mmCIF file of all heavy atoms in Angstrom:
data_model
loop_
_atom_site.group_PDB
_atom_site.id
_atom_site.type_symbol
_atom_site.label_atom_id
_atom_site.label_comp_id
_atom_site.label_asym_id
_atom_site.label_seq_id
_atom_site.Cartn_x
_atom_site.Cartn_y
_atom_site.Cartn_z
ATOM 1 N N ALA K 290 18.158 -2.421 -0.143
ATOM 2 C CA ALA K 290 16.888 -2.645 -0.839
ATOM 3 C C ALA K 290 17.133 -3.475 -2.081
ATOM 4 O O ALA K 290 18.263 -3.536 -2.586
ATOM 5 C CB ALA K 290 16.247 -1.310 -1.220
ATOM 6 N N PHE K 291 16.094 -4.125 -2.559
ATOM 7 C CA PHE K 291 16.159 -4.795 -3.859
ATOM 8 C C PHE K 291 14.794 -4.667 -4.509
ATOM 9 O O PHE K 291 13.764 -4.615 -3.838
ATOM 10 C CB PHE K 291 16.577 -6.268 -3.720
ATOM 11 C CG PHE K 291 15.712 -7.103 -2.820
ATOM 12 C CD1 PHE K 291 14.736 -7.949 -3.359
ATOM 13 C CD2 PHE K 291 15.857 -7.069 -1.446
ATOM 14 C CE1 PHE K 291 13.938 -8.739 -2.538
ATOM 15 C CE2 PHE K 291 15.061 -7.849 -0.613
ATOM 16 C CZ PHE K 291 14.097 -8.676 -1.156
ATOM 17 N N ALA K 292 14.823 -4.589 -5.846
ATOM 18 C CA ALA K 292 13.572 -4.384 -6.586
ATOM 19 C C ALA K 292 13.102 -5.692 -7.200
ATOM 20 O O ALA K 292 13.913 -6.492 -7.660
ATOM 21 C CB ALA K 292 13.790 -3.342 -7.687
ATOM 22 N N VAL K 293 11.792 -5.921 -7.179
ATOM 23 C CA VAL K 293 11.230 -7.126 -7.805
ATOM 24 C C VAL K 293 10.020 -6.723 -8.645
ATOM 25 O O VAL K 293 9.036 -6.172 -8.135
ATOM 26 C CB VAL K 293 10.783 -8.170 -6.759
ATOM 27 C CG1 VAL K 293 10.245 -9.420 -7.465
ATOM 28 C CG2 VAL K 293 11.922 -8.546 -5.828
ATOM 29 N N LYS K 294 10.121 -7.026 -9.939
ATOM 30 C CA LYS K 294 9.004 -6.750 -10.849
ATOM 31 C C LYS K 294 7.974 -7.867 -10.719
ATOM 32 O O LYS K 294 8.294 -9.050 -10.900
ATOM 33 C CB LYS K 294 9.533 -6.690 -12.283
ATOM 34 C CG LYS K 294 8.473 -6.416 -13.310
ATOM 35 C CD LYS K 294 9.084 -6.253 -14.696
ATOM 36 C CE LYS K 294 7.969 -5.954 -15.680
ATOM 37 N NZ LYS K 294 8.455 -5.537 -16.970
ATOM 38 N N ALA K 295 6.740 -7.525 -10.393
ATOM 39 C CA ALA K 295 5.701 -8.551 -10.262
ATOM 40 C C ALA K 295 4.325 -7.898 -10.224
ATOM 41 O O ALA K 295 4.144 -6.854 -9.584
ATOM 42 C CB ALA K 295 5.903 -9.353 -8.972
ATOM 43 N N ASP K 296 3.379 -8.523 -10.903
ATOM 44 C CA ASP K 296 1.988 -8.072 -10.856
ATOM 45 C C ASP K 296 1.318 -8.732 -9.655
ATOM 46 O O ASP K 296 1.062 -9.936 -9.665
ATOM 47 C CB ASP K 296 1.292 -8.473 -12.164
ATOM 48 C CG ASP K 296 -0.162 -8.032 -12.216
ATOM 49 O OD1 ASP K 296 -0.713 -7.638 -11.165
ATOM 50 O OD2 ASP K 296 -0.750 -8.096 -13.309
ATOM 51 N N ILE K 297 1.048 -7.919 -8.624
ATOM 52 C CA ILE K 297 0.545 -8.507 -7.373
ATOM 53 C C ILE K 297 -0.933 -8.911 -7.460
ATOM 54 O O ILE K 297 -1.471 -9.501 -6.525
ATOM 55 C CB ILE K 297 0.786 -7.584 -6.147
ATOM 56 C CG1 ILE K 297 0.218 -6.182 -6.366
ATOM 57 C CG2 ILE K 297 2.259 -7.520 -5.817
ATOM 58 C CD1 ILE K 297 -1.178 -5.957 -5.967
ATOM 59 N N SER K 298 -1.578 -8.601 -8.567
ATOM 60 C CA SER K 298 -2.986 -8.991 -8.691
ATOM 61 C C SER K 298 -3.132 -10.421 -9.209
ATOM 62 O O SER K 298 -4.231 -10.945 -9.283
ATOM 63 C CB SER K 298 -3.719 -8.031 -9.624
ATOM 64 O OG SER K 298 -3.272 -8.181 -10.950
ATOM 65 N N LYS K 299 -1.994 -11.050 -9.540
ATOM 66 C CA LYS K 299 -2.038 -12.408 -10.101
ATOM 67 C C LYS K 299 -1.259 -13.390 -9.233
ATOM 68 O O LYS K 299 -0.208 -13.043 -8.689
ATOM 69 C CB LYS K 299 -1.412 -12.400 -11.500
ATOM 70 C CG LYS K 299 -2.129 -11.483 -12.488
ATOM 71 C CD LYS K 299 -1.898 -11.962 -13.918
ATOM 72 C CE LYS K 299 -2.843 -11.298 -14.888
ATOM 73 N NZ LYS K 299 -2.391 -9.951 -15.278
ATOM 74 N N GLU K 300 -1.740 -14.614 -9.145
ATOM 75 C CA GLU K 300 -1.056 -15.645 -8.351
ATOM 76 C C GLU K 300 0.404 -15.789 -8.794
ATOM 77 O O GLU K 300 1.296 -15.880 -7.960
ATOM 78 C CB GLU K 300 -1.763 -17.002 -8.501
ATOM 79 C CG GLU K 300 -3.114 -17.105 -7.797
ATOM 80 C CD GLU K 300 -3.007 -17.489 -6.321
ATOM 81 O OE1 GLU K 300 -1.928 -17.403 -5.720
ATOM 82 O OE2 GLU K 300 -4.060 -17.863 -5.763
ATOM 83 N N GLU K 301 0.633 -15.816 -10.149
ATOM 84 C CA GLU K 301 2.009 -16.022 -10.647
ATOM 85 C C GLU K 301 2.909 -14.871 -10.215
ATOM 86 O O GLU K 301 4.068 -15.085 -9.841
ATOM 87 C CB GLU K 301 2.071 -16.096 -12.186
ATOM 88 C CG GLU K 301 1.016 -16.931 -12.861
ATOM 89 C CD GLU K 301 -0.276 -16.145 -13.098
ATOM 90 O OE1 GLU K 301 -0.360 -15.343 -14.056
ATOM 91 O OE2 GLU K 301 -1.214 -16.353 -12.311
ATOM 92 N N GLY K 302 2.376 -13.651 -10.273
ATOM 93 C CA GLY K 302 3.168 -12.488 -9.891
ATOM 94 C C GLY K 302 3.537 -12.554 -8.413
ATOM 95 O O GLY K 302 4.682 -12.282 -8.026
ATOM 96 N N VAL K 303 2.586 -12.924 -7.591
ATOM 97 C CA VAL K 303 2.832 -12.993 -6.149
ATOM 98 C C VAL K 303 3.823 -14.114 -5.843
ATOM 99 O O VAL K 303 4.696 -13.977 -4.975
ATOM 100 C CB VAL K 303 1.493 -13.159 -5.394
ATOM 101 C CG1 VAL K 303 1.707 -13.397 -3.910
ATOM 102 C CG2 VAL K 303 0.643 -11.904 -5.603
ATOM 103 N N ALA K 304 3.733 -15.209 -6.588
ATOM 104 C CA ALA K 304 4.685 -16.314 -6.398
ATOM 105 C C ALA K 304 6.112 -15.845 -6.731
ATOM 106 O O ALA K 304 7.062 -16.119 -5.986
ATOM 107 C CB ALA K 304 4.293 -17.501 -7.270
ATOM 108 N N THR K 305 6.246 -15.101 -7.830
ATOM 109 C CA THR K 305 7.561 -14.567 -8.222
ATOM 110 C C THR K 305 8.106 -13.634 -7.141
ATOM 111 O O THR K 305 9.272 -13.705 -6.754
ATOM 112 C CB THR K 305 7.422 -13.744 -9.535
ATOM 113 O OG1 THR K 305 6.911 -14.611 -10.539
ATOM 114 C CG2 THR K 305 8.731 -13.140 -9.977
ATOM 115 N N LEU K 306 7.229 -12.773 -6.659
ATOM 116 C CA LEU K 306 7.623 -11.779 -5.652
ATOM 117 C C LEU K 306 8.136 -12.451 -4.371
ATOM 118 O O LEU K 306 9.206 -12.123 -3.856
ATOM 119 C CB LEU K 306 6.412 -10.877 -5.359
ATOM 120 C CG LEU K 306 6.539 -9.816 -4.285
ATOM 121 C CD1 LEU K 306 7.702 -8.864 -4.570
ATOM 122 C CD2 LEU K 306 5.234 -9.017 -4.192
ATOM 123 N N PHE K 307 7.370 -13.419 -3.875
ATOM 124 C CA PHE K 307 7.759 -14.045 -2.603
ATOM 125 C C PHE K 307 8.925 -15.025 -2.781
ATOM 126 O O PHE K 307 9.703 -15.244 -1.841
ATOM 127 C CB PHE K 307 6.544 -14.671 -1.907
ATOM 128 C CG PHE K 307 5.730 -13.620 -1.208
ATOM 129 C CD1 PHE K 307 4.810 -12.839 -1.899
ATOM 130 C CD2 PHE K 307 5.924 -13.343 0.140
ATOM 131 C CE1 PHE K 307 4.091 -11.826 -1.267
ATOM 132 C CE2 PHE K 307 5.207 -12.342 0.786
ATOM 133 C CZ PHE K 307 4.287 -11.580 0.076
#
Side-chain angles (χ1 to χ4, degrees):
F291 56 100
V293 182
K294 180 175 181 169
D296 181 347
I297 54 89
S298 69
K299 300 205 166 81
E300 288 275 16
E301 316 85 79
V303 173
T305 301
L306 176 57
F307 281 82

